[in-house]
Amino acid sequence: MRTVKLIRVTAEAPTVKSFAFNDGLCSKAEPGQFVMVWIPTVDEVPMSLSLLNSTRGQAAITVERVGEATEALHNMKAGDSIGVRGPFGNNYTISRASKVMIVGGGTGLASLASLAEKLTKEGTKITFLMGAKRKSGLLFHARIGSVLSKAKGRLIAATEDGSYGQRSLVTKSAEKLFKRGEKFSMIYTCGPEKMMVKMLHLAEKFHVPFEASLERFMRCAIGLCGTCVIGKYRVCRDGPIFSGQQLLEVEDEFGCWRRGFDGRKTRV
Ligand SMILES: Cc1cc2nc3c(=O)[nH]c(=O)nc-3n(C[C@H](O)[C@H](O)[C@H](O)COP(=O)(O)OP(=O)(O)OC[C@H]3O[C@@H](n4cnc5c(N)ncnc54)[C@H](O)[C@@H]3O)c2cc1C
Ligand code: FES
């Protein structure tokens, strides 16, 4: 584990903040990889990297306040220290010079923002759909919009209360594009598991290769403890990015169950 100092804390939404730090290894990570973040005296939790800037040696995580560890992190400021282990896990497959769909919600948008940045550098045409309950939950809207505008990409926002973009579930907005006959060579998704399940079904129906980033409780992050198991896979070692084919093998758990720290299954 390396100890790093926070260099910038940015409020992204009422319950979400980004924390930037200098770390050579994290800054060179690939989109989709995650780190274990140690919050001194509290806990160590998995977080996706939301910013990868290898030229300046900077990286960032984007954290939603949901419990004890994330609350403690939200109370930290620039100059405070955290510990980082990693980066761990696999990354999204970079699909070159094709037309892809990216669908995200909540802090799932963290890893998808850096994916969009990488894909546009490869010349990939992106249709990016982001969803939230309300406008304030549309994380990285400006950042993603600016990346896509330079590469003739398209950004579609959907909110459940209609406060911004289409009044719709983001999966419904995605389905409309397929029903209009639009073709994509890949779907990437990260966000609430029910949303990702729906996207997997669309990918199956319209025969599109698919990748999703999964979250499970984690302890070791290196494939040893079994806390993050889903079917025959360990999310920290075999994921967090899984293909559609792999997710169909664990259909009875994906979108239904996750294991708690005591190994018992709880509803997703
Ligand atoms: C690979 C991966 C990447 C992640 N990336 C992000 C991210 O970019 N931003 C973000 O805000 N969150 C991310 N998470 C989820 C994050 O790890 C949890 O929200 C965090 O651990 C909660 O800790 P807590 O003590 O604040 O909450 P707790 O009080 O421990 O739990 C609150 C809720 O958070 C979830 N949770 C708790 N611990 C874990 C854990 N170790 N792994 C997964 N879920 C957990 C559970 O649903 C629980 O009900 C990621 C998880 C994984 C596995
Ligand atoms: S967290 Fe220990 S095996 Fe994945």
Side-chain angles (χ1 to χ4, degrees), residues 90 232-233 238-239 241-251:
N90 61 359
K232 64 180 187 185
Y233 298 113
D238 305 315
I241 315 299
F242 289 90
S243 67
Q245 201 183 346
Q246 287 174 309
L247 293 171
L248 289 173
E249 291 168 15
V250 296
E251 238 182 341

Side-chain angles (χ1 to χ4, degrees), residues 154-231:
R154 175 169 51 157
L155 177 58
I156 298 171
T159 52
E160 287 174 38
D161 70 356
S163 51
Y164 192 84
Q166 301 179 359
R167 184 190 194 117
S168 159
L169 288 174
V170 70
T171 48
K172 285 269 170 225
S173 301
E175 191 172 10
K176 264 190 224 155
L177 299 183
F178 284 111
K179 285 190 170 160
R180 268 198 336 226
E182 292 203 27
K183 300 265 185 274
F184 298 93
S185 51
M186 184 75 171
I187 297 174
Y188 301 96
T189 185
C190 185
E193 210 155 298
K194 300 269 186 231
M195 179 200 86
M196 295 197 288
V197 169
K198 177 72 190 161
M199 288 311 304
L200 173 62
H201 293 156
L202 285 177
E204 283 299 291
K205 187 171 170 188
F206 293 97
H207 310 290
V208 189
F210 177 85
E211 284 186 357
S213 177
L214 264 57
E215 286 189 9
R216 285 295 180 272
F217 285 97
M218 286 184 184
R219 275 200 183 98
C220 71
I222 52 171
L224 294 176
C225 70
T227 313
C228 65
V229 76
I230 178 167

Side-chain angles (χ1 to χ4, degrees), residues 94-116:
I94 298 303
S95 171
R96 288 189 175 82
S98 49
K99 194 180 167 203
V100 306
M101 172 185 273
I102 302 181
V103 182
T107 50
L109 291 162
S111 65
L112 295 175
S114 39
L115 171 67

Side-chain angles (χ1 to χ4, degrees), residues 19 37-47 61 63-76 82:
F19 301 84
V37 178
W38 176 61
I39 300 114
T41 77
V42 184
D43 202 356
E44 193 190 34
V45 289
M47 288 289 155
I61 51 171
V63 180
E64 176 158 25
R65 196 180 65 230
V66 293
E68 198 190 359
T70 48
E71 168 101 52
L73 196 50
H74 269 240
N75 290 333
M76 297 178 90
I82 56 170

